[in-house]
Amino acid sequence: MATASMKVASETYTTEKLASAKQGERQSVIAHGVRHQEKHVASSASSKFIGFKGVSSSSQSSSTKCSSQMASGMLRLECPDLRILIEDAGKHLEDLEKLSALSSKDDVDKTLVIYTGMFSKFVDSYRLIPEENIPTCLKTISDVIHKAWAIPSHGHTLGSSLCDVLRNNGGLDILIKSCCSQNKNLLFCSARVLEQCLTTENRSYIAENGLVNVLKAARICSDTRRNVDFTRVGTGILEHLFKHSESTCKQVIRQGGLKCVINDSRYCNDVETLRHCSSALANLSLYGGSDNHQAMICENVQNWLFPLAFHDDDNIKYYACLALATLVANKEIEAAVNRSGALNLVEPFLMDHDPAEFSASSVAHIHGHSKDWLERLVPVLNSNRKEAQSLAAFHFVMEAGIKNKQCNTEIFREIGAVESLKRVASSPNAIASRYAAQALKLMDEELPHKLSQQVPLWTVEDVIEWLKQIGFFNYSKEFFDSRVDGDLLLQLNEVMLIDDIGMLNGILRKRFMRELGLLKKMADYSSCDFSDLHRFLMNIGSEMIQYTYPLLNAGVDAKVLKYLTDDQLLRDCGIENSIHRLQILENVTANTGVSNLDGNVDKNIDVFISYRRSTGSQLASLLKVHLELRGFRVFIDVERLEAGKFDNNLLQSVRQAKHLILVLTQSSLDRCIGDIDHKDWIHREVVAALSSQCNIIPLTDNFQWPEPEQLPEDMRAVCYFNGVRWIHDYQEACVEKLERFIKGETKIGDGVLGRSVVLGGVVTPGTPTLRGSLNTYQRSQSNESKGSHSSDRDSKENILVNGKEPIVLNDGVYNLHE
């Protein structure tokens, strides 16, 4: 078997017969302005390929029939060697599929020899294959590499070795050149192979020798108007190219790569494409550096990551969260990432997943990441942001389990991750410390002293350990002699530091108080906070959490808050910042339902988005981003609760909102039918909106309105509100119309995308109306609704896109008047 395999690996065309086919033929490799290399086909054919463990083979003779056809320039697929190339590949794919985690090293080596020979034969024969047959060969190569990567345990060895063969034999040069082909099928097939073989070494080769060509192909493929197979390949290539260097990332961004990823994440519903988009943004966050981070902020990446992190697919969620955690670790853009609200999705994801199970859930991370990739994750682990720490620690648990099986845990010491993990494992960040401890156990490392998140319960020894972590161990004797425990630590001020601890250096005191402030924000006060005061302060802003313990020590709880004055907050609670006192008092008024002078609750939220999690979460998250980018203050609950577990704070948020956008996707109101006990949260949100003068704007997508009589009487009026029909391919036009609704600019004659009917006069958006009839226009289904019948009861509607009437083409596709 081994001998036969070596024979297959060595069969190819001789130098003399290739030279006779076309004397003096030259190959030009354009390398993005780096180099221009010319060589005879003869030298290309005689080049050696490097296979697994150094196996090499020179070109050997082929059949006389092939050589005569080559000489006449009329090679056909009937050539025995080319037919064997394709037929044998299909036959050997079965051998590849038989490999498993239990396969022996000999079986893996034999399979590798077969396919290195096949790849070498393709490269040497490439110029002699008719162009119409090349895509078939490329598809075979792509299938082989794809299956090789997916083999448990041995996949990394097989996949990377086959990718090395393509690079060493000139295969990458062929693929790079084909990326500029006018034959779109050839371009796509070449790009598909590239997407499978962009290992670290191959990425470097392409960055030096063909980045422009490959980027061009990626942009063409990632166009969402093309077949979904194209977008998968295009975004897959961009995902890998963002995993090279800062300079490469900058070139990819400059040539439109980042815009392509953002566009695909907005308009494409294909899960695999969105996985590539999410991973691409995570890679760019890790490899891009500060300048490219700024470019990401300019493109509002932090906002567009929200729908990805809100997705139902765990892999899309995870890498979007990783991108967010990496970006927020950069102090220069921390505020912008905070404002997006997407960071609130990180910790809920981590709490719902087990690192070991998640690492085995997808081929994307089943083999683990490279040393270079992991080294770039260490600064995220060292960040002061708890979300960044937690997610980085989670990932190191995954990697520790994978590297443990590969007997390669020493990699973590080489990149400096062990000491960082020990620091996090002993920190009061409950989520991050738990995962860091798990990672250290898998690395067989000693666990450090663990600090509880319950800081008020700390012992003196815990305080000393914390001093060591923050770099103030020199003062440990003074703290020990004063018997400073967690309770006293939380009450320290600068005067005490001077008089009792002897910290005379003003800059040192500022540093210490900064670290103490971070500790107060991270602490868990549940052991002494029985009225959830901590949560109230957290809802105002993270900087307010530091006042939890001073308020509690002054005897304040959530019920007492509404009676406090500014003077009491200053003198009795020690809140010296007057702006913070004002914020607390204003939020107390708003959250206790105290009316303003005209008798109404303050409307400090522009839009509250109500949606059904099972079918409407993606559209709701998309709307949030669109509206926030247009300057609206938007509230969306990111942790929808089951019936019977409703959070009454949400009702208060509805009352504080000027508008409620009711996202109606398939079956959204089914649970409301017969809900006489008000257990359904959409039912309760609609009733709260109706009773608080909150303008309701239904937004429908693939939705069937029930009969009004089927709904509870207290929400029945929602059936008569004007609304917007969502068309996924025309997001901007839909949001523009929605914006006009919110601003009160849209009238009945403006062409509302939805049910907008009235008898006896004009009404403003949000006014209950009787259903009637309007002019009829056709519309396309959204991507999420393709294949379904039009489901809104009133199919009569009119559509304007940017003020222009669209022309309806075949299959209901819109084309706008120029």
Side-chain angles (χ1 to χ4, degrees):
M1 175 66 182
T3 305
S5 300
M6 288 301 295
K7 183 177 180 181
V8 173
S10 60
E11 285 184 351
T12 187
Y13 302 110
T14 62
T15 302
E16 293 80 5
K17 290 176 180 177
L18 283 171
S20 67
K22 197 177 286 186
Q23 263 320 326
E25 179 180 347
R26 295 178 180 273
Q27 175 189 12
S28 298
V29 180
I30 309 299
H32 188 38
V34 178
R35 67 185 179 90
H36 184 98
Q37 178 183 0
E38 293 189 344
K39 55 183 178 181
H40 287 67
V41 176
S43 63
S44 172
S46 63
S47 63
K48 296 185 178 182
F49 72 90
I50 300 175
F52 184 64
K53 299 182 69 175
V55 177
S56 64
S57 173
S58 298
S59 300
Q60 301 293 326
S61 62
S62 184
S63 66
T64 305
K65 180 179 178 181
C66 280
S67 63
S68 63
Q69 288 179 326
M70 285 183 285
S72 62
M74 297 177 62
L75 185 66
R76 295 288 181 265
L77 189 59
E78 285 75 15
C79 173
D81 289 283
L82 297 180
R83 188 175 65 250
I84 290 173
L85 173 66
I86 297 172
E87 292 176 355
D88 282 2
K91 181 172 62 179
H92 290 310
L93 277 175
E94 298 176 1
D95 297 333
L96 194 62
E97 291 170 348
K98 291 178 182 178
L99 293 179
S100 67
L102 302 177
S103 298
S104 68
K105 185 175 179 297
D106 287 341
D107 289 338
V108 175
D109 288 356
K110 290 175 183 177
T111 303
L112 190 56
V113 166
I114 292 172
Y115 286 105
T116 53
M118 186 189 80
F119 281 20
S120 179
K121 182 186 296 184
F122 167 74
V123 173
D124 288 341
S125 309
Y126 178 79
R127 277 170 220 86
L128 309 170
I129 304 175
E131 186 175 280
E132 64 269 18
N133 294 327
I134 293 176
T136 303
C137 297
L138 291 174
K139 183 182 184 304
T140 300
I141 289 176
S142 176
D143 291 343
V144 169
I145 298 176
H146 178 77
K147 291 182 181 295
W149 283 118
I151 296 172
S153 300
H154 306 293
H156 185 267
T157 298
L158 280 167
S160 58
S161 298
L162 291 176
C163 293
D164 289 344
V165 171
L166 282 177
R167 184 181 70 258
N168 295 329
N169 265 20
L172 279 187
D173 293 329
I174 291 173
L175 296 174
I176 290 170
K177 184 178 180 180
S178 297
C179 283
C180 288
S181 174
Q182 296 301 311
N183 183 331
K184 297 303 180 186
N185 189 32
L186 176 58
L187 181 150
F188 167 68
C189 290
S190 300
R192 182 166 53 184
V193 176
L194 276 173
E195 193 265 331
Q196 291 290 330
C197 69
L198 287 177
T199 57
T200 302
E201 295 79 8
N202 288 359
R203 286 195 298 271
S204 297
Y205 186 88
I206 285 175
E208 295 176 2
N209 302 291
L211 187 59
V212 171
N213 288 11
V214 174
L215 271 175
K216 178 181 178 182
R219 290 198 307 272
I220 291 173
C221 290
S222 65
D223 188 336
T224 53
R225 293 172 296 181
R226 295 184 177 275
N227 185 286
V228 68
D229 291 331
F230 277 71
T231 59
R232 291 175 180 177
V233 169
T235 51
I237 290 175
L238 292 171
E239 172 191 345
H240 289 294
L241 292 180
F242 278 134
K243 193 164 54 173
H244 183 253
S245 66
E246 286 189 34
S247 60
T248 300
C249 288
K250 184 174 291 186
Q251 291 183 62
V252 175
I253 292 175
R254 187 182 298 125
Q255 295 183 44
L258 178 58
K259 289 182 182 294
C260 286
V261 171
I262 294 173
N263 192 60
D264 285 336
S265 71
R266 289 176 56 186
Y267 289 97
C268 186
N269 290 321
D270 176 61
V271 169
E272 189 172 332
T273 298
L274 293 178
R275 286 180 177 179
H276 288 315
C277 291
S278 184
S279 297
L281 295 174
N283 290 338
L284 178 56
S285 301
L286 287 168
Y287 282 77
S290 183
D291 289 346
N292 291 317
H293 284 177
Q294 293 290 350
M296 294 174 76
I297 297 301
C298 290
E299 295 291 340
N300 296 307
V301 167
Q302 73 281 9
N303 296 94
W304 294 116
L305 279 167
F306 187 93
L308 294 174
F310 207 60
H311 202 277
D312 294 331
D313 182 80
D314 282 344
N315 287 284
I316 296 172
K317 280 183 180 178
Y318 179 71
Y319 283 102
C321 288
L322 179 59
L324 288 164
T326 306
L327 290 173
V328 81
N330 181 348
K331 287 290 184 183
E332 295 178 3
I333 60 174
E334 181 180 2
V337 180
N338 257 332
R339 286 193 297 270
S340 72
L343 283 170
N344 296 328
L345 301 172
V346 174
E347 290 193 350
F349 176 89
L350 299 179
M351 296 296 290
D352 291 340
H353 293 80
D354 175 78
E357 293 177 1
F358 186 68
S359 67
S361 66
S362 171
V363 177
H365 39 245
I366 197 170
H367 299 300
H369 286 279
S370 66
K371 177 181 177 181
D372 181 50
W373 193 96
L374 292 173
E375 190 170 13
R376 294 170 185 271
L377 189 62
V378 175
V380 182
L381 185 65
N382 291 331
S383 168
N384 287 328
R385 294 288 310 203
K386 64 176 184 177
E387 303 93 343
Q389 275 189 354
S390 299
L391 195 137
F394 180 95
H395 193 91
F396 274 112
V397 178
M398 292 201 305
E399 293 288 346
I402 294 169
K403 298 297 189 287
N404 187 288
K405 293 177 182 177
Q406 297 172 350
C407 301
N408 189 27
T409 55
E410 68 274 3
I411 190 176
F412 298 109
R413 281 204 168 275
E414 294 172 4
I415 64 176
V418 172
E419 290 306 314
S420 296
L421 285 167
K422 286 184 176 180
R423 181 182 61 80
V424 173
S426 64
S427 74
N429 183 341
I431 299 175
S433 62
R434 181 173 78 252
Y435 288 134
Q438 290 181 28
L440 290 169
K441 286 181 181 178
L442 290 168
M443 299 172 192
D444 293 325
E445 296 287 346
E446 183 181 352
L447 296 182
H449 179 92
K450 173 70 177 72
L451 291 177
S452 167
Q453 199 170 3
Q454 295 272 3
V455 179
L457 304 181
W458 276 8
T459 63
V460 175
E461 288 72 21
D462 290 330
V463 173
I464 300 302
E465 175 63 28
W466 178 73
L467 290 173
K468 179 180 178 181
Q469 289 184 18
I470 65 171
F472 281 83
F473 190 70
N474 290 341
Y475 290 91
S476 58
K477 184 179 185 302
E478 288 78 5
F479 275 82
F480 184 83
D481 292 343
S482 298
R483 307 304 294 170
V484 178
D485 57 13
D487 172 58
L488 294 174
L489 178 65
L490 292 172
Q491 299 181 57
L492 282 182
N493 55 40
E494 287 205 45
V495 175
M496 295 178 185
L497 289 176
I498 296 172
D499 296 342
D500 303 320
I501 303 300
M503 195 178 294
L504 302 179
N505 187 306
I507 294 178
L508 284 180
R509 290 198 305 274
K510 289 292 184 185
R511 280 180 49 207
F512 181 88
M513 293 305 294
R514 182 177 63 188
E515 294 293 339
L516 182 58
L518 292 173
L519 179 65
K520 289 177 179 179
K521 294 177 185 178
M522 192 180 295
D524 180 357
Y525 300 99
S526 58
S527 62
C528 53
D529 180 13
F530 305 113
S531 64
D532 220 6
L533 183 62
H534 170 266
R535 181 176 178 179
F536 169 77
L537 294 171
M538 183 173 62
N539 287 336
I540 301 175
S542 60
E543 68 279 1
M544 296 296 176
I545 300 174
Q546 61 184 305
Y547 302 123
T548 304
Y549 205 65
L551 285 168
L552 291 172
N553 272 344
V556 176
D557 59 21
K559 295 179 180 179
V560 176
L561 270 175
K562 59 184 177 182
Y563 303 111
L564 293 181
T565 64
D566 181 80
D567 186 55
Q568 288 172 322
L569 287 175
L570 173 62
R571 289 188 298 102
D572 301 326
C573 304
I575 303 178
E576 298 179 355
N577 189 312
S578 61
I579 304 299
H580 287 179
R581 294 199 303 272
L582 179 62
Q583 286 181 285
I584 291 173
L585 292 174
E586 284 189 346
N587 277 272
V588 168
T589 301
N591 283 275
T592 53
V594 178
S595 301
N596 55 27
L597 294 177
D598 60 8
N600 296 318
V601 174
D602 286 334
K603 299 285 188 178
N604 52 22
I605 298 173
D606 291 324
V607 176
F608 182 104
I609 299 179
S610 178
Y611 66 99
R612 181 73 67 190
R613 181 173 184 174
S614 57
T615 57
S617 58
Q618 288 310 294
L619 179 51
S621 64
L622 200 59
L623 284 174
K624 171 191 179 294
V625 177
H626 275 295
L627 292 173
E628 285 184 339
L629 291 178
R630 291 170 182 254
F632 294 105
R633 290 167 295 177
V634 181
F635 180 95
I636 181 172
D637 179 31
V638 298
E639 297 182 56
R640 302 301 286 180
L641 304 176
E642 298 298 327
K645 299 181 180 179
F646 197 86
D647 185 350
N648 285 317
N649 287 330
L650 288 180
L651 293 181
Q652 187 60 32
S653 297
V654 173
R655 297 186 187 102
Q656 292 174 241
K658 300 172 185 175
H659 307 273
L660 181 141
I661 295 179
L662 181 58
V663 176
L664 295 173
T665 47
Q666 190 172 18
S667 305
S668 288
L669 296 183
D670 285 5
R671 295 184 195 172
C672 297
I673 298 174
D675 182 34
I676 58 176
D677 296 326
H678 291 76
K679 291 183 177 180
D680 183 72
W681 41 262
I682 282 187
H683 180 187
R684 298 189 66 176
E685 287 172 354
V686 169
V687 171
L690 289 170
S691 63
S692 60
Q693 299 180 349
C694 178
N695 180 37
I696 298 178
I697 307 172
L699 185 139
T700 62
D701 181 31
N702 193 26
F703 175 71
Q704 174 71 48
W705 281 97
E707 291 295 334
E709 295 75 17
Q710 292 181 282
L711 295 175
E713 187 175 358
D714 56 1
M715 70 172 296
R716 201 169 291 168
V718 76
C719 295
Y720 304 104
F721 277 79
N722 297 336
V724 174
R725 173 85 56 93
W726 181 257
I727 302 175
H728 194 73
D729 292 337
Y730 293 99
Q731 294 180 26
E732 294 294 340
C734 292
V735 176
E736 180 182 327
K737 189 62 64 176
L738 193 60
E739 182 180 15
R740 295 174 68 185
F741 258 45
I742 293 171
K743 293 180 177 179
E745 299 172 358
T746 301
K747 303 296 183 184
I748 191 63
D750 283 352
V752 181
L753 298 177
R755 299 192 312 174
S756 179
V757 293
V758 62
L759 296 179
V762 176
V763 296
T764 58
T767 304
T769 63
L770 296 177
R771 283 173 291 199
S773 61
L774 290 173
N775 295 332
T776 301
Y777 294 83
Q778 290 180 283
R779 77 174 184 99
S780 66
Q781 297 289 334
S782 74
N783 285 356
E784 294 178 353
S785 310
K786 285 179 179 177
S788 64
H789 297 290
S790 179
S791 56
D792 283 20
R793 177 182 303 137
D794 296 307
S795 62
K796 298 177 181 181
E797 59 186 10
N798 57 9
I799 289 180
L800 292 179
V801 181
N802 293 328
K804 299 176 182 179
E805 182 181 330
I807 303 172
V808 183
L809 303 178
N810 293 334
D811 300 323
V813 177
Y814 281 107
N815 186 21
L816 301 182
H817 288 296
E818 295 298 332

